[in-house]
Amino acid sequence: MLTAVFVIVLLAVVGSAIDLGRAHATRTRLQHACDAASLAGRRAMTTSTVDDTVKAEALKFFNFNFPQRAFGTSTFTPSVSSLSGSTQTVVITAATTSPTTVMKFFGFSSIPLNVTCNAKQDFVNTDVVLVLDTTGSMADKASSTDTSTKIVALRKAVLALYDQLATVQTNLEASGMRLRYGIVPYASTVNVGSAISAVNASYLAQTAKYQSRRVATATSSSSACDGVYGSYNSNSRVCTYFIYNQYSYDTSKFVAGSSVDVAPFIGTSTYYSSGRSQLYGLTPTNQVANKTTWGGCTEEPVTVVMSATATSIPDGANDLNIDLIPATDDQKWRPYWPEVEFTSYRSNIYSADLMKPQYACPTAAAPMKAWSRTTLSTYLDGLNPDGGTYHDFGMMWGARWASSNGIFSANNPSTYNSMPVKKYIIFMTDGLFDTGYSTLYSGYGVEQLDARVTPGGSSSNETDQLARHKQRFNLLCSKAKTMGYSVWVIGFATTLDASLTNCASSASQASTSADSAALLSKFVEIGKNIGALRLTQ
């Protein structure tokens, strides 16, 4: 009798283990089908409601992953609806039973199974800052098999990102939220002058110092005058020539948009076939007009020289202060003025005037806003490749562009219509840092002469300059991430060095694209991640 009792108990234990194990496996499969169906239904949503199209798509996926009577379950019909108070959340519930084999001898013919799942778009306001390298190499092709240049490929990739997020943008707008893009093209400086002026024109310096030149005269011999490339008056034995040095200029009319004649203070010159410049003899009646209008590019405010191993942004580094609101002249941005910029030595083999450094001013940055595809395409068509590669300019202004503090705070609230704002930086470059210590006019001036980032002169060189800029870039990347940005870094037809790889928010958000097709795919992938669906239950 005891044996019989033990056998019955053993059968009950073993049977329940078998039946419950099968029921558990069945419920797991049922839950997976539910999750897949809710995601499919949410992707099918084109309005803010769970309509018949959404229900049909969800049921199709559910039945594909868990056909009726699978694993011996009873027939059932999943329920597809929306969540109370959240019409854009797809909710699926399903209830069925799993049959038993051994336990039915003990009065349990089936085991009830119930699953519930929700899927919703991560629906919050979204700001995407596109920081785009538009340096000279973007005029080349990424690979020999590409049919267009890198700048053309970049335009197509950005539009592909826009297309990927177009439905998200529409749904956000229908819910009283928004998806915005801001664009910061960068090279050896950035074009942000009009954006600064639109906020507060007083943030722009009214006087600034430039490496420039002045007209001078001296009694000399003809040969001595030729030695300084001057203009010699044999009757008076007077030589008129240039003195190259740093000079202070009134920039108030220039930043206000006026056309400024620079000939009265820098003189005018003609050129020998060898490229050497010779000064025209200047008098108040024969000055040659040289009208210049500000293109919008800027020089950074006063900063401090910091080492290549600095671990934090020091006080006084106004350029690295993302939320800087200028209160003093040292904190104001200066107009980039290549027409008055000269070096005190021969620095340029490409220009007719060998004393002119190389320079470039990229397309004006576009403030954060909702775009139409047509308007975005028109803007992208205006991107022109030119200049050297200073990644720190791109990152410092990329971080400023959507910051909820600083000079653009009024346009970038941390919440919009009581909903939070998620912020992304997509940083695309086709090359590693390319700085020009003595030959390039950047947003830090001519660095060998102006010595704003480096000690200058013979106390530094291009290798030292590059190391210091890389560290500034590293600190800016860290700052952007602490501000809440999710940072993506893309190397286009180039490898990423450690500073670029580490700039991304995670290893998976740093990548390279070998050609135009790969770049387009990467931008689409990023769009999918930004607008990703997620399960909530």
Side-chain angles (χ1 to χ4, degrees):
M1 291 179 63
L2 287 175
T3 301
V5 171
F6 287 145
V7 168
I8 294 172
V9 172
L10 181 62
L11 285 173
V13 171
V14 173
S16 63
I18 295 173
D19 291 334
L20 289 174
R22 184 170 65 174
H24 176 74
T26 303
R27 188 188 183 286
T28 299
R29 182 66 177 270
L30 191 67
Q31 185 67 58
H32 289 166
C34 184
D35 292 343
S38 63
L39 287 171
R42 185 59 189 82
R43 288 193 183 96
M45 287 184 68
T46 56
T47 66
S48 59
T49 59
V50 177
D51 56 20
D52 290 342
T53 300
V54 174
K55 292 179 180 179
E57 185 73 3
L59 290 174
K60 180 176 73 174
F61 269 75
F62 200 118
N63 292 328
F64 176 81
N65 288 287
F66 197 96
Q68 288 295 313
R69 304 195 70 82
F71 303 99
T73 55
S74 60
T75 58
F76 64 98
T77 301
S79 169
V80 183
S81 62
S82 59
L83 188 66
S84 177
S86 178
T87 58
Q88 296 186 352
T89 299
V90 175
V91 181
I92 298 179
T93 59
T96 185
T97 58
S98 175
T100 62
T101 53
V102 178
M103 291 180 65
K104 64 182 179 182
F105 295 108
F106 300 95
F108 299 98
S109 60
S110 63
I111 299 173
L113 302 176
N114 297 278
V115 294
T116 302
C117 53
N118 296 354
K120 71 173 184 178
Q121 197 85 36
D122 195 3
F123 253 47
V124 293
N125 298 290
T126 304
D127 281 352
V128 180
V129 185
L130 297 161
V131 180
L132 307 177
D133 179 343
T134 59
T135 51
S137 55
M138 288 293 289
D140 303 328
K141 291 183 178 180
S143 72
S144 59
T145 58
D146 275 351
T147 58
S148 59
T149 62
K150 286 185 277 189
I151 195 69
V152 172
L154 176 61
R155 294 170 185 151
K156 292 178 180 178
V158 172
L159 288 175
L161 171 75
Y162 180 90
D163 292 340
Q164 181 63 39
L165 290 171
T167 300
V168 175
Q169 181 173 345
T170 300
N171 289 338
L172 282 171
E173 290 171 353
S175 302
M177 289 179 280
R178 64 187 182 185
L179 187 154
R180 303 187 304 166
Y181 299 91
I183 308 174
V184 181
Y186 77 94
S188 43
T189 184
V190 287
N191 193 327
V192 294
S194 60
I196 295 172
S197 184
V199 173
N200 191 328
S202 70
Y203 293 162
L204 297 167
Q206 301 299 294
T207 60
K209 292 181 179 180
Y210 298 88
Q211 298 297 331
S212 192
R213 68 186 186 189
R214 286 283 189 270
V215 177
T217 58
T219 301
S220 77
S221 66
S222 176
S223 60
C225 192
D226 285 343
V228 293
Y229 309 116
S231 177
Y232 189 69
N233 186 317
S234 58
N235 293 326
S236 63
R237 302 183 65 190
V238 171
C239 177
T240 305
Y241 62 101
F242 291 124
I243 296 178
Y244 295 90
N245 211 327
Q246 187 181 72
Y247 298 100
S248 181
Y249 292 130
D250 180 347
T251 58
S252 57
K253 293 181 179 179
F254 193 55
V255 297
S258 298
S259 180
V260 178
D261 184 2
V262 300
F265 44 89
I266 68 166
T268 55
S269 56
T270 188
Y271 302 96
Y272 293 111
S273 60
S274 65
R276 296 183 304 173
S277 63
Q278 183 181 42
L279 184 71
Y280 277 126
L282 295 178
T283 68
T285 58
N286 71 357
Q287 289 175 351
V288 178
N290 187 4
K291 298 284 188 178
T292 65
T293 304
W294 188 31
C297 283
T298 55
E299 291 186 30
E300 286 303 302
V302 171
T303 187
V304 295
V305 175
M306 52 181 277
S307 75
T309 57
T311 57
S312 61
I313 296 174
D315 294 337
N318 296 314
D319 58 324
L320 305 183
N321 182 352
I322 300 302
D323 293 328
L324 172 70
I325 298 178
T328 67
D329 287 344
D330 285 350
Q331 296 175 334
K332 295 181 179 181
W333 290 278
R334 316 163 195 179
Y336 184 80
W337 204 347
E339 291 83 4
V340 304
E341 189 80 10
F342 294 88
T343 52
S344 55
Y345 47 81
R346 296 187 183 186
S347 63
N348 196 334
I349 62 173
Y350 304 106
S351 171
D353 190 333
L354 299 183
M355 315 300 274
K356 290 289 289 183
Q358 293 175 270
Y359 58 88
C361 180
T363 303
M368 301 301 303
K369 63 180 181 179
W371 294 72
S372 70
R373 194 181 195 281
T374 299
T375 304
L376 179 60
S377 179
T378 299
Y379 175 85
L380 295 171
D381 286 343
L383 298 179
N384 293 308
D386 197 9
T389 310
Y390 281 64
H391 294 325
D392 38 355
F393 283 122
M395 185 51 67
M396 74 172 68
W397 284 97
R400 281 193 180 110
W401 224 232
S403 174
S404 297
N405 300 296
I407 62 172
F408 302 124
S409 59
N411 189 45
N412 301 316
S414 57
T415 62
Y416 178 74
N417 280 352
S418 301
M419 291 295 289
V421 180
K422 277 197 171 181
K423 299 180 181 182
Y424 300 85
I425 289 177
I426 301 175
F427 190 98
M428 196 287 319
T429 178
D430 78 325
L432 304 180
F433 260 112
D434 179 19
T435 55
Y437 185 58
S438 60
T439 60
L440 181 67
Y441 174 38
S442 74
Y444 291 109
V446 177
E447 294 202 53
Q448 177 172 306
L449 299 173
D450 289 293
R452 299 175 192 169
V453 172
T454 74
S458 60
S459 299
S460 188
N461 53 47
E462 192 160 349
T463 300
D464 174 63
Q465 174 200 30
L466 177 59
R468 293 172 189 266
H469 277 284
K470 276 192 175 183
Q471 189 59 9
R472 296 172 92 87
F473 175 71
N474 293 338
L475 293 172
L476 286 164
C477 289
S478 296
K479 179 63 177 178
K481 287 180 281 192
T482 62
M483 292 170 64
Y485 285 102
S486 179
V487 181
W488 296 76
V489 177
I490 306 168
F492 186 19
T494 186
T495 57
L496 298 179
D497 64 8
S499 64
L500 287 166
T501 299
N502 294 335
C503 186
S505 292
S506 66
S508 63
Q509 290 181 214
S511 63
T512 59
S513 298
D515 53 29
S516 299
L519 182 72
L520 190 145
S521 296
K522 177 55 63 175
F523 270 76
V524 170
E525 177 189 329
I526 293 172
K528 289 179 179 178
N529 276 274
I530 291 175
L533 294 164
R534 64 186 178 92
L535 292 172
T536 57
Q537 183 177 333

